[in-house]
Amino acid sequence: GAVVSQHPSWVICKSGTSVKIECRSLDFQATTMFWYRQFPKQSLMLMATSNEGSKATYEQGVEKDKFLINHASLTLSTLTVTSAHPEDSSFYICSARDFTRSTDTQYFGPGTRLTVL
Amino acid sequence: GENVEQHPSTLSVQEGDSAVIKCTYSDSASNYFPWYKQELGKGPQLIIDIRSNVGEKKDQRIAVTLNKTAKHFSLHITETQPEDSAVYFCAASISYGQNFVFGPGTRLSVLP
């Protein structure tokens, strides 16, 4: 149980294009999903917290107009990187909380590696 | 805000030996402390967690201890195996499951 999937697992795009990453909770409902960014050999940095049916809360320094987050259902959140540039190349990971369980943890997806040429 | 430090940054042990990774946190309001294992190119996997009302928790070869007074918590892995080799991250959360702050990670290598 508590499986989170991401799609795609990797994507290569040209500079200036937009890329959408999907995060799904497969066997539970997630009222809250989180989006992280991880550069090579570094830790996870929280980008935003996404609540179903409401606007995402972005961390300081994260451009909300560049990283569009939509959490339209209890099992799906999407991150769209708009007008991507090479510096946006990174490993993007989502996580989700299962609010029905008596646990407080976040379950992570497998990540999406974005390479912007 | 919360700050989490983690030591050591790299750790090499012989197969069968024990490994200990330590984390300290700054905000005494933090009340939930999970540990994640991340293999290369994959997302983090929860391996064990502990709440602030518990001092120790064990799951087979893995244990976590928490010292609230000193604001530090540790991961203990006994009888290490090569498949334990990965990067381990600790995290602290002020509001149970929200707003995780991660440590910088420890790269554990278990030598056969």
Side-chain angles (χ1 to χ4, degrees):
Chain A
V3 179
V4 177
S5 70
Q6 276 184 248
H7 179 80
S9 56
W10 60 270
V11 56
I12 301 173
C13 69
K14 292 183 178 180
S15 185
T17 61
S18 294
V19 174
K20 179 184 284 188
I21 302 170
E22 292 186 349
C23 176
R24 293 182 185 273
S25 55
L26 298 185
D27 53 358
F28 66 97
Q29 293 182 325
T31 53
T32 305
M33 289 184 170
F34 305 84
W35 287 96
Y36 292 83
R37 187 172 179 176
Q38 186 179 36
F39 290 107
K41 297 187 178 182
Q42 293 190 21
S43 190
L44 293 86
M45 296 300 295
L46 180 66
M47 298 175 65
T49 301
S50 165
N51 291 297
E52 185 263 338
S54 63
K55 290 184 178 180
T57 301
Y58 291 82
E59 295 299 299
Q60 191 172 9
V62 177
E63 300 175 58
K64 61 181 181 181
D65 294 329
K66 180 169 185 62
F67 299 99
L68 302 179
I69 293 172
N70 183 281
H71 191 163
S73 77
L74 286 172
T75 60
L76 173 65
S77 176
T78 60
L79 167 68
T80 300
V81 183
T82 62
S83 186
H85 291 285
E87 56 266 31
D88 298 323
S89 298
S90 188
F91 194 49
Y92 292 87
I93 315 173
C94 71
S95 71
R97 284 192 65 199
D98 181 355
F99 76 101
T100 64
R101 295 176 182 235
S102 58
T103 178
D104 308 308
T105 199
Q106 295 179 23
Y107 298 95
F108 283 82
T112 296
R113 184 161 302 285
L114 170 63
T115 302
V116 185
L117 302 176
Chain B
E2 176 66 281
N3 181 53
V4 178
E5 296 184 354
Q6 186 172 344
H7 298 280
S9 56
T10 59
L11 178 60
S12 293
V13 299
Q14 289 294 134
E15 183 177 358
D17 287 350
S18 296
V20 181
I21 303 171
K22 298 181 180 180
C23 286
T24 61
Y25 60 99
S26 60
D27 195 327
S28 57
S30 289
N31 51 28
Y32 176 67
F33 309 92
W35 284 89
Y36 287 88
K37 174 184 180 181
Q38 187 178 28
E39 297 177 345
L40 188 63
K42 298 183 179 180
Q45 279 188 306
L46 176 73
I47 55 172
I48 197 167
D49 56 5
I50 193 167
R51 295 184 181 184
S52 58
N53 59 348
V54 176
E56 183 174 358
K57 184 177 178 181
K58 190 174 182 180
D59 182 6
Q60 299 182 339
R61 297 188 296 111
I62 295 173
V64 57
T65 58
L66 170 65
N67 184 324
K68 285 192 298 182
T69 303
K71 291 189 283 188
H72 67 70
F73 55 111
S74 299
L75 176 71
H76 305 254
I77 305 174
T78 59
E79 301 174 23
T80 54
Q81 302 166 2
E83 50 265 38
D84 294 330
S85 297
V87 179
Y88 290 80
F89 292 98
C90 63
S93 170
I94 291 178
S95 54
Y96 284 124
Q98 298 282 109
N99 301 332
F100 280 13
V101 176
F102 282 87
T106 295
R107 184 171 300 276
L108 173 64
S109 299
V110 180
L111 309 174

